[in-house]
Structure formats: C-alpha cells, structure tokens
C-alpha cells in the first residue's frame, strides 16, 4: 500500500481491487453456507496479495472447519493468530458483520471446540463476547461453547466416579449442541466400552474417526472393542494402523500381539510357542537353533560376534525392535561359540540377519541399515 501519503501505484491498486472482489464473494458465500466457494474466494484473496491479513486466514480456517478439514483449519487459525491484527485490521473495522478481532476469536473458539480444547474455546469466545456483545453469532457461539464444555466436564466427572450410563447421557447432551465433536464421541465410546456395549462403542468410534481420521485414541478404543467381540481380523487391522503411527507405544504393541495370537488361534493355527515381548534369546547348538527357527510366526536371528564393532553398534537397535515387535521371536547366535551352526547356515560376515516365517527362511541381510532391518521385519510380521 502507499506510504507516507503517497498515492498507491497502479499494481497495488489492482491488488486491492482483486482482494476486495474476492472478499465480497467470500461474504456472500458464507451467508448462504456455501463453504466450498467461501474457501475458494478466501484462497484467491490471499493469493491476490492479502497474505498479511489475519481475518482472511481466520476466514480460511472457518471454511475448512465447515468442510471437515480439521488439521488444515487448525493450521490456518494459528497462522491468523500469529499475524498482528492491529497492522491489518483496526479494532473498530467490521468484517462479515463482526467487529474485526471478535471474528478471529469466534473462529478460534470453533476450531478449539472441534479439537476438544474446551478451555481454549471458552477463553476465545469470552474475548469475542467482550469485543462484540451485540453480535448474534458471537452470543449464540458463547452459549453453545459453554453448554458443550459443561456437558463434557460433567461427563468426565461421572465417568471417573464409575457412573458410566450417566456419563453417556452427559456426553450425548454435549453432542446435541455440537454434533461434529470427535472428542465427545470418543468419550462416549469409552462409557459404552465400560458398560460392555461393544457395538455402540464401535459406532461412536466410527463417528469420531469420520470427523478426525487420525484420532488414534478412537482407533485404539475401536480395536479393543472389536477384540471384546472376538472380531479379531478387524481388531488386528486397526492395531496395524496404530503400530505404524505409534511404533513405540507398548499398550498398542501388546494389544496387537494378543489380537494377532487370537486371530491365528481362531484359524486353528498353532500358537503355543508365541510369547509376548521378552529379550533377544541366545541360541546354543544346532538342535536349539533348528527348534527355534521352526516355531510358528516370525523369528529373526542375529548372527554376531562379541568383539565385532558393527554387531555392538546394532545390538541396542535389535533390543528396541524386540520391545516394539512383541509377536516376533528375536534370537542371536554367537558365531565364535557356534561354529557348526555358522557353517551350516553359511554365515561368512557379521552382523548377518535371517528372518524365518513358520519355519521357512524368507530373508537374509548382511550388515543391514536400521531402516532395512525394520522394514523387512514389518513385511513378514503379520
């Protein structure tokens, strides 16, 4: 824009006109709830040069939220909050019928409540009300946020007192006022789980995941509910997604292991030798080696020498894998103590890793990187 009283140049003027045109269209689209158009106009205004305006990023956040793109909306509102509002919009400027800054807080409250950040939502909507107490949308949002936050805290209180049926009703009350709240669905699913209503728990988890597909808590709850219904295949499927996302979570690893064993058992496969977790087991002698590698499931054998630097370097990583992949048998063969096994297996270099599945060797790696070792293990794990 022009500075020190100088006329803005033609380019700036065109920029300003373009921004105003898109802004006008955004306001029209917002009025009729056409969020797809609203988002398009918003993006166009930002591209036309208004990338300093907090209000536009707040508008973008609101449109994304209404289109159920929660993570994108969260990014946009945090961008809006970082931009200094006073530089781009004055306190008494109007925006979409809001006092400018109150719109920012109004959208912030919407994003916060969608993510289950109830305290943040309350504080934002209070700020909006202080600036803009005459605005109908702000007042309605204030009432709504308070009601939803109260329902959630009452639900939590009842849940912690073991009153699961009452907690269910409280969360349900919150959902009447905010039907797209993944946190309330997930909380109600926890109540259903406690009440032994597994199918209803799964339904609520599905709703939560529809709203927020990467809501791992809801996925974990669904995996456990499937397990309770002995639907092992779906339980394992959910746990597999969780394992990829939360590789070092032991609750997930343990749940996955038990579901996996139950699935194999339900198919009539032998699971008598499958154990959870433990340490890397040292093997001695040909007989012990042959028995161990013939076990059902996956076994990983680390051929190593105690004084070899590369073996020493990779050993802690193998220990970590042992914890992360509890359904896999991790074994080691010291080649200096087991010359017969070493010769039999034709091991010339250490560290060598061999993966066996249900008694058959499926992979051999010499001096693998951490990444290759883990990805190969993943490939055969289930």
């Amino acid at each position: 824009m022009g500075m020190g009283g100088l006329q803005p140049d033609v380019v700036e003027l065109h920029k300003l006109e373009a921004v105003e045109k898109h802004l006008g269209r955004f306001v029209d689209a917002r009025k009729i709830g056409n969020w797809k158009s609203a988002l398009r106009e918003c993006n166009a205004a930002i591209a036309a040069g208004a990338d300093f305006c907090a209000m536009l990023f707040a508008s973008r956040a609101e449109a994304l939220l209404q289109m159920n793109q929660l993570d994108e909306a969260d990014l946009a509102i945090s961008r809006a909050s970082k931009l200094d509002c006073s530089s781009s919009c004055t306190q008494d400027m109007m925006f979409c019928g809001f006092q400018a800054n109150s719109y920012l807080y109004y959208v912030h409250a919407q994003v916060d409540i969608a993510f289950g950040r109830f305290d943040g939502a309350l504080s934002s909507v209070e700020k909006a009300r202080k600036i803009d107490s005459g605005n109908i949308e702000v007042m309605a949002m204030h009432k709504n946020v308070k009601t939803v936050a109260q329902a959630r805290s009452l639900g939590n209180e009842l849940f912690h007192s073991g009153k699961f049926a009452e907690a269910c009703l409280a969360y349900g009350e919150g959902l009447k006022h905010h039907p797209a709240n993944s946190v309330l669905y997930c909380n109600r699913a926890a109540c259903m789980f406690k009440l032994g209503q597994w199918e209803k728990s799964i339904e609520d988890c599905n709703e939560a995941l529809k709203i927020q597909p990467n809501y791992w808590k809801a996925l974990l709850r669904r995996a456990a509910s499937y397990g309770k219904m002995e639907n092992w295949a779906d339980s394992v499927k959910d746990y597999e997604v969780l394992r990829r996302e939360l590789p070092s979570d032991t609750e997930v690893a343990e749940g996955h292991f038990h579901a996996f064993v139950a699935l194999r058992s339900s198919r009539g496969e032998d699971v008598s030798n499958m154990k959870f977790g433990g340490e890397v087991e040292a093997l001695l002698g040909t007989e012990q080696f042959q028995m161990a590698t013939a076990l059902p499931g996956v076994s990983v054998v680390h051929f190593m020498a105690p004084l070899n630097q590369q073996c020493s370097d990779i050993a802690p990583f193998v220990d970590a894998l042992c914890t992360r992949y509890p359904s896999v048998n991790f074994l080691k063969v010291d080649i200096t103590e087991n010359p017969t096994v070493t010769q039999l297996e034709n091991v010339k270099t250490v560290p060598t890793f061999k993966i066996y599945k249900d008694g058959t060797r499926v992979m051999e790696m010499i001096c693998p990187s951490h990444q290759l070792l883990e990805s190969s293990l993943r490939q055969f794990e289930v």
Side-chain angles (χ1 to χ4, degrees):
M1 301 292 156
M3 307 212 27
L6 293 173
Q7 284 296 312
D9 63 27
V10 178
V11 176
E12 288 297 334
L13 203 54
H14 283 166
K15 217 192 248 189
L16 189 60
E17 282 168 0
V19 168
E20 282 177 354
K21 180 184 74 180
H22 293 302
L23 207 47
R25 287 181 186 165
F26 166 79
V27 174
D28 293 341
R30 184 183 186 272
K31 268 186 201 144
I32 58 168
N34 182 345
W35 295 105
K36 205 173 172 184
S37 286
L39 180 62
R40 193 172 55 239
E41 296 304 333
C42 215
N43 288 341
I46 291 169
D51 54 354
F52 56 83
C53 180
M55 288 308 122
L56 273 170
F57 282 98
S59 312
R60 186 168 194 274
E62 187 181 28
L64 286 161
L65 188 66
Q66 296 293 339
M67 291 167 73
N68 224 18
Q69 295 178 33
L70 267 65
D71 291 332
E72 292 271 319
D74 204 23
L75 283 173
I77 198 66
S78 67
R79 175 85 191 267
S81 304
K82 283 190 191 104
L83 288 164
D84 180 11
C85 241
S86 56
S87 71
S88 54
C89 355
T90 56
Q91 281 285 48
D92 50 1
M93 177 185 127
M94 297 299 285
F95 184 87
C96 288
F98 290 78
Q99 297 280 1
N101 282 0
S102 79
Y103 176 72
L104 188 67
Y105 294 124
Y106 168 83
V107 177
H108 220 306
Q110 289 185 67
V111 176
D112 278 341
I113 201 123
F115 274 96
R117 300 189 292 248
F118 295 90
D119 295 341
L122 275 170
S123 118
S124 290
V125 82
E126 287 289 354
K127 286 176 189 166
R129 194 180 70 145
K130 230 178 219 159
I131 300 168
D132 208 354
S133 58
N135 184 299
I136 299 166
E137 285 188 74
V138 168
M139 296 318 282
M141 174 67 66
H142 183 258
K143 191 180 170 190
N144 197 303
V145 167
K146 271 182 78 169
T147 310
V148 175
Q150 279 165 354
R152 179 258 196 164
S153 71
L154 175 63
N156 286 2
E157 224 170 90
L158 291 163
F159 184 88
H160 293 307
S161 319
K163 297 176 177 168
F164 305 120
E166 292 92 327
C168 247
L169 294 174
Y171 293 133
E173 200 51 45
L175 281 164
K176 281 181 200 164
H177 295 272
H178 196 277
N181 197 291
S182 55
V183 174
L184 292 178
Y185 275 119
C186 192
N187 287 1
R188 193 170 69 176
C191 299
M192 300 295 191
F193 187 87
K194 292 283 190 185
L195 293 165
Q197 298 178 11
W198 325 119
E199 281 185 27
K200 284 186 176 171
S201 177
I202 289 166
E203 277 169 29
D204 273 355
C205 290
N206 288 343
E207 288 301 327
L209 289 161
K210 225 182 274 174
I211 298 160
Q212 212 179 333
N214 57 355
Y215 192 1
W216 308 130
K217 206 174 179 180
L219 194 62
L220 184 58
R221 198 149 277 152
R222 188 173 76 178
S225 299
Y226 277 138
K228 290 287 187 185
M229 292 174 72
E230 298 189 4
N231 180 347
W232 300 115
D234 283 330
S235 183
V236 165
K237 209 182 286 175
D238 280 351
Y239 278 123
E240 279 172 4
V241 176
L242 287 160
R243 289 296 304 281
R244 280 196 293 278
E245 297 301 329
L246 311 167
S248 45
D249 188 307
T250 48
E251 186 192 347
V252 168
E254 196 164 349
H256 179 233
F257 172 75
H258 292 305
F260 179 61
V261 170
L263 177 64
R264 292 193 67 143
S265 172
S266 71
R267 290 173 178 163
E269 295 173 35
D270 178 20
V271 292
S272 56
N273 285 305
M274 293 185 78
K275 61 187 192 311
F276 178 74
E279 292 168 5
V280 180
E281 190 187 333
L283 295 177
L284 274 172
T286 319
E287 196 182 334
Q288 204 186 353
F289 174 81
Q290 282 168 343
M291 274 172 68
T293 51
L295 289 175
V298 174
S299 303
V300 174
V301 186
H302 176 197
F303 291 88
M304 42 72 71
L307 299 174
N308 179 286
Q309 188 56 49
Q310 277 181 291
C311 293
S312 309
D313 289 347
I314 204 162
F317 181 66
V318 179
D319 291 338
L321 290 178
C322 192
T323 311
R324 290 219 293 264
Y325 296 87
S327 59
V328 174
N329 295 311
F330 284 88
L331 313 155
K332 62 182 175 185
V333 171
D334 180 342
I335 62 163
T336 56
E337 287 180 12
N338 293 279
T340 326
V341 176
T342 309
Q343 213 171 351
L344 202 68
E345 286 294 304
N346 198 21
V347 174
K348 301 270 196 296
T349 313
V350 289
T352 287
F353 287 86
K354 298 193 182 195
I355 301 178
Y356 296 81
K357 184 158 187 171
D358 298 330
T360 306
R361 188 172 72 226
V362 287
M363 184 104 186
E364 182 171 339
M365 290 164 281
I366 297 166
C367 306
S369 65
H370 290 193
Q371 203 181 353
L372 175 64
L373 182 56
E374 186 165 10
S375 62
S376 306
L377 172 59
R378 269 227 169 102
Q379 195 183 328
F380 299 108
E381 184 203 6
V382 176

